[in-house]
């Protein structure tokens, strides 16, 4: 079946794809989004919004709608070591001023509702992109699969926004700089424990390669993440029984460990997130542009990926709207797509380097720097030295590395 899809076809209804779709739709550009899932509900997606991500919604004129989405505002960070509280501090000093934990399904639904107000927008769910359609060395659409069989979509421009395991990246053949990761994350949610300090606090248990974090979520639960050495999930679970969950739980503060023991089935059912990070050196080919994690899978460190994906979409809209609304020819569209990559490259490189630096400081088991960091952390935070030393990095991870202004 061949389906008409307007001028732009976006693969993936995540933060990058839905934001770009909304921005193009409101300028009258025909846009279709393909999403493999049938709804926006997922167990674990990036939900940490920094000031730069929040600013993106305000720039789009969606500030009021954004504020209505269920969220938690982080004000305090507690650091534990060997289950003991070593420091409780203001989140703003650690670059988390005004950071929010936002329900991502609700956020994507809001974008879909806003885009849906324009008749030139279409969201097709339960449709999985399989490969590109190419003619004369140009991408002219995609082949996709749906419950009722294969489909073909054609468009002037295909935008790959299909995330960290993107099919569009795989089929693009673009060269990639991959950044080897030393840890994976286990994620789970449990009911909010009565003895957790409050709903504006995030806690970290720091230990070499065995860190953990917990924070309240917008749906009234507690999200818990355990960092484990990369690739060790199978061997960790191999012992079976309660032993492996106890290895994770046992290093948390006693009240939280007891709470997790009471919800051990949630710990045993933790979802493994295979942490990957890197960036493609090219994001465009004739008729094709990749953005968001499809172009540069982000590590979860510092809660950056959603914010970066939103900013990619704003920049893409800035460059694409003028050529698409002016009836741009293919070469004008391709030139606009190349400018997206050029504008975004410096921020992506800087943020990924800062994430790598933080991983080296916090997770590298062999580094004397990591051991020293853990030993000195309470002192450095209490005296404000860490906040001062890291102030530039924290500001960039909160506000972005380069200014991004939506002009369309
Ligand atoms: C454990 C973890 C925690 C994180 N925490 C944070 C955080 O707190 N804050 C933060 O900012 N970032 C965080 N991130 C990163 C963040 O989730 C991503 O960087 C961000 O979601 C990228 O947005 P995106 O729109 O590019 O891709 P995605 O959000 O991955 O969206 C891609 C969409 O494409 C769809 N799709 C995939 N393949 C196809 C296909 N073939 N056909 C059709 N549709 C397809 C997917 O279903 C998905 O809906 C975290 C990441 C991880 C792994």
């Amino acid at each position: 079946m061949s389906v008409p899809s307007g001028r732009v076809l976006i693969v993936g209804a995540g933060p990058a794809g839905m934001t770009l779709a909304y921005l193009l739709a409101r300028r009258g550009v025909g846009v279709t989004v393909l999403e493999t899932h049938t709804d926006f509900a997922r167990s674990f997606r990036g939900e940490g919004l920094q000031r730069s991500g929040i600013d993106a919604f305000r720039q789009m004129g969606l500030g009021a709608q954004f504020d209505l989405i269920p969220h938690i505002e982080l004000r305090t960070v507690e650091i534990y070591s060997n289950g003991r509280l070593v420091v409780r501090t203001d989140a703003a000093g650690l670059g988390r001023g005004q950071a929010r934990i936002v329900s991502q399904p609700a956020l994507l639904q809001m974008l879909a509702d806003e885009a849906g107000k324009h008749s030139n927008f279409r969201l097709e769910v339960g449709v999985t992109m399989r490969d590109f359609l190419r003619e004369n060395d140009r991408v002219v659409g995609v082949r996709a699969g749906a419950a009722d069989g294969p489909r073909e979509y054609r468009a002037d421009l295909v935008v790959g926004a299909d995330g960290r395991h993107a099919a569009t990246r795989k089929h693009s053949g673009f060269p990639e700089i991959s950044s080897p990761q030393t840890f994976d994350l286990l994620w789970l949610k449990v009911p909010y424990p009565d003895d957790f300090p409050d709903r504006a606090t995030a806690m970290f248990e720091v230990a070499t390669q065995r860190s953990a974090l917990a924070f309240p979520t917008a749906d009234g639960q507690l999200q818990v993440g355990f960092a484990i050495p990369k690739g060790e999930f199978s061997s960790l679970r191999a012992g079976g029984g309660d032993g492996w969950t106890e290895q994770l739980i046992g290093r948390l503060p006693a009240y939280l460990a007891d709470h997790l023991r009471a919800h051990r089935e949630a710990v045993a059912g933790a979802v493994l997130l295979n942490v990957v990070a890197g960036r493609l050196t090219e994001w465009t080919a004739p008729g094709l542009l990749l953005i968001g994690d499809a172009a540069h899978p982000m590590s979860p460190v510092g809660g950056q990926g959603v914010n970066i994906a939103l900013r990619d979409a704003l920049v893409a809209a800035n460059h694409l709207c003028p050529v698409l609304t002016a009836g741009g020819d293919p070469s004008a569209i391709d030139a606009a797509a190349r400018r997206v990559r050029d504008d975004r490259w410096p921020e992506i490189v800087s943020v990924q380097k800062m994430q790598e630096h933080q991983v080296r400081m916090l997770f590298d088991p062999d580094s004397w720097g990591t051991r020293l960091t853990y030993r000195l952390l309470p002192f450095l935070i209490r005296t404000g030295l860490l906040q001062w030393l890291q102030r530039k990095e924290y500001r960039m991870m909160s506000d972005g590395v380069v200014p991004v202004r939506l002009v369309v």
Side-chain angles (χ1 to χ4, degrees), residues 11-18 34-37 40 42 44-50 101 104 108 127-130 161-168 185 187 215 273-275 291-294 296-300 302-309:
V11 181
M18 285 308 299
L34 308 183
E35 170 55 48
T36 189
H37 290 99
F40 293 129
R42 306 285 182 282
F44 298 106
R45 316 188 70 143
E47 301 202 330
L49 268 281
Q50 314 301 334
I101 310 294
Q104 200 185 113
L108 295 174
V127 181
T128 305
M129 181 273 187
R130 302 270 186 235
D162 42 342
R164 18 206 314 268
H165 303 297
T168 56
L185 271 176
W187 278 126
F215 53 85
L273 274 143
N274 173 13
V275 175
I291 59 170
D293 271 16
H296 48 72
M298 301 298 292
S299 152
Q304 294 293 299
V306 173
N307 306 272
I308 294 277

Side-chain angles (χ1 to χ4, degrees), residues 153-168:
Y153 295 81
R154 298 178 79 86
D156 294 342
L157 177 69
V158 172
V159 178
D162 42 342
R164 18 206 314 268
H165 303 297
T168 56

